[in-house]
Amino acid sequence: MGTFGFKVEAVDGPARAGVARSGHGDFLTPAFMPVGTAGTVKGITTAELRVAGADIVLSNTYHLFLRPGHRVIGELGGLHRFMNWSGPILTDSGGFQAFSMADRVKMDDRGFEFSSILDGSRHLLSPELSMEIQAALGSDIVMVLDECPALPAPRKRLEEAVARTTAWARRCVESYDGPGVLFGIVQGGTCMDLRERSAAELQEIGFPGYAVGGVAVGEPEDQIAGIAGRTAALLPEDKPRYLMGVGRPQDLVEAVARGLDMFDCVMPTRNARNGTLFTSRGKVNIKRAGHQRDPSPLDPECDCEACTKYSRAYLRHLFMSNEILGHRLHTIHNLTFYLRLMRRMRAAIFEGRFEAFRREFMSSPAVGVEP
Ligand SMILES: [Zn+2]
């Protein structure tokens, strides 16, 4: 087991600002983790990630297991060296992708049996294999294998998923032998009593951090923050709380307001590649013809390379011409926007004005679409 520490430095209502210490340095919370699915945040270098303000990245076990394989990465010195990222890395368990992306999935107490999307080969992703992969990658934060049913789901289905998630969490703790630490994942869907049971069972095992899983998997968007917040309240105050797979900027603000500390989402990077850009004036669709002759910056309040060196007209041109530079600049911008939002929330918590910040942000043009 590796080293990990977490300290809450300031609280403002339920919102918290903290610092987490990992084997590869610190990261500040509230933290947003850019998603580097295949060991890369698509299109940008790790130096550019740093400039955008990232201090921890997430990578996907499922993809790296299939290609190039965890043994290959292990032989080459682990994922940090492989992808040239010296900061903390969190990896997911692979279960979500094995379940949602793979062909012919069969799930039972052993794990997820699936066919590779690359060559059709059959694999069993068990708790033990997930731990073996994440240990070989050298992840600082290792997620346990959990079962995350799509919502809506009948209560019985959610209950089974909680029981299996606890059993798998135990098996993960028993089998993990690597340089990182494990986070447990609370399941239970929309049933708060099941979430309570899940949180209690995981705390009995004892983890240095806890994730709120099974949100943003089909329930109405306006329920996400509420479920996350009520689950956060079931978790220890001195451990980080990670809301998995969420979300829009306003979701992050509402979740921080309810005591969540860590986030990841493909939204800023995936949207960037689709030409949807987050700005202080709302979401911008860079494809729109109105930008064709627009010499102004994408977001005058942003200090990223895309906003300080180029015009909307040029960014639109790059996108319409399908130029790689467009994808790169848009990714840099969207990540800069998200990571700046996290820093602004952190500052507001330290200054005891988070509620005012939240109200101001939620009524600002940033949460809408630019007219
Ligand atoms: Zn920018």
Side-chain angles (χ1 to χ4, degrees):
M1 275 283 207
T3 51
F4 187 82
F6 180 67
K7 189 165 163 272
V8 176
E9 299 174 293
V11 291
D12 185 6
R16 307 122 59 83
V19 56
R21 189 142 292 168
S22 84
H24 285 87
D26 295 352
F27 62 93
L28 303 177
T29 67
F32 181 80
M33 301 180 281
V35 178
T37 301
T40 164
V41 174
K42 289 188 198 312
I44 68 171
T45 66
T46 49
E48 287 166 328
L49 260 183
R50 285 280 187 203
V51 172
D55 48 19
I56 173 169
V57 300
L58 178 146
S59 204
N60 289 116
T61 288
Y62 170 82
H63 294 279
L64 295 174
F65 165 66
L66 292 180
R67 184 170 56 194
H70 59 292
R71 290 200 186 91
V72 173
I73 294 175
E75 277 166 31
L76 292 166
L79 185 57
H80 294 83
R81 184 181 293 179
F82 191 53
M83 69 182 283
N84 184 38
W85 175 256
S86 58
I89 295 176
L90 180 148
T91 43
D92 64 3
S93 69
F96 188 76
Q97 269 96 11
F99 190 72
S100 60
M101 297 189 53
D103 289 338
R104 299 194 295 128
V105 189
K106 201 177 122 195
M107 188 200 46
D108 56 31
D109 289 339
R110 296 173 308 145
F112 298 93
E113 199 183 320
F114 65 94
S115 297
S116 162
I117 48 168
L118 300 179
D119 60 11
S121 54
R122 288 297 276 177
H123 302 276
L124 173 68
L125 183 71
S126 62
E128 290 77 16
L129 179 58
S130 177
M131 293 303 103
E132 180 193 319
I133 299 167
Q134 295 184 75
L137 297 176
S139 314
D140 300 286
I141 301 178
V142 167
M143 300 308 295
V144 299
L145 190 71
D146 65 327
E147 192 197 337
C148 174
L151 297 175
R155 184 185 164 84
K156 193 168 167 355
R157 186 76 201 75
L158 296 171
E159 207 164 356
E160 284 166 8
V162 165
R164 187 168 279 152
T165 294
T166 300
W168 284 358
R170 282 211 182 85
R171 282 166 58 186
C172 287
V173 169
E174 278 160 22
S175 74
Y176 180 72
D177 181 18
V181 294
L182 272 59
F183 275 22
I185 305 175
V186 179
Q187 289 291 345
T190 44
C191 298
M192 278 318 295
D193 63 312
L194 293 182
R195 287 204 174 263
E196 210 168 303
R197 183 191 301 174
S198 179
E201 287 175 352
L202 293 171
Q203 283 171 76
E204 209 182 292
I205 300 169
F207 290 93
Y210 295 87
V212 180
V215 288
V217 289
E219 76 278 38
E221 264 176 357
D222 57 1
Q223 284 187 19
I224 292 172
I227 292 170
R230 290 202 296 281
T231 308
L234 303 169
L235 295 169
E237 277 177 22
D238 61 346
K239 301 284 192 288
R241 303 159 177 165
Y242 164 27
L243 180 57
M244 302 176 82
V246 173
R248 301 171 302 172
Q250 54 266 47
D251 298 323
L252 302 186
V253 172
E254 290 295 345
V256 169
R258 289 165 173 80
L260 280 302
D261 308 301
M262 296 168 61
F263 307 90
D264 79 283
C265 191
V266 295
M267 197 174 281
T269 41
R270 182 176 290 166
N271 279 4
R273 300 193 299 278
N274 297 332
T276 302
L277 307 174
F278 296 94
T279 77
S280 57
R281 296 164 178 198
K283 259 195 294 192
V284 168
N285 177 353
I286 201 66
K287 295 185 283 291
R288 276 175 49 182
H291 303 307
Q292 192 177 18
R293 290 183 166 79
D294 189 346
S296 64
L298 171 60
D299 187 347
E301 291 177 30
C302 181
D303 62 357
C304 88
E305 200 177 2
C307 294
T308 54
K309 303 265 202 312
Y310 303 99
S311 63
R312 288 184 171 206
Y314 183 66
L315 296 177
R316 177 178 188 274
H317 160 70
L318 291 177
F319 187 86
M320 300 310 284
S321 314
N322 200 23
E323 285 291 337
I324 293 169
L325 182 60
H327 292 215
R328 283 174 35 70
L329 289 172
H330 296 162
T331 300
I332 287 169
H333 168 76
N334 272 358
L335 284 178
T336 302
F337 180 89
Y338 265 64
L339 293 161
R340 184 173 55 239
L341 175 62
M342 306 318 282
R343 283 198 302 280
R344 287 169 65 205
M345 286 197 275
R346 190 176 147 82
I349 294 167
F350 269 102
E351 290 160 19
R353 54 174 180 83
F354 186 78
E355 185 49 31
F357 173 86
R358 186 188 74 84
R359 250 182 291 128
E360 194 182 315
F361 185 82
M362 294 307 286
S363 59
S364 76
V367 301
V369 176
E370 191 190 56

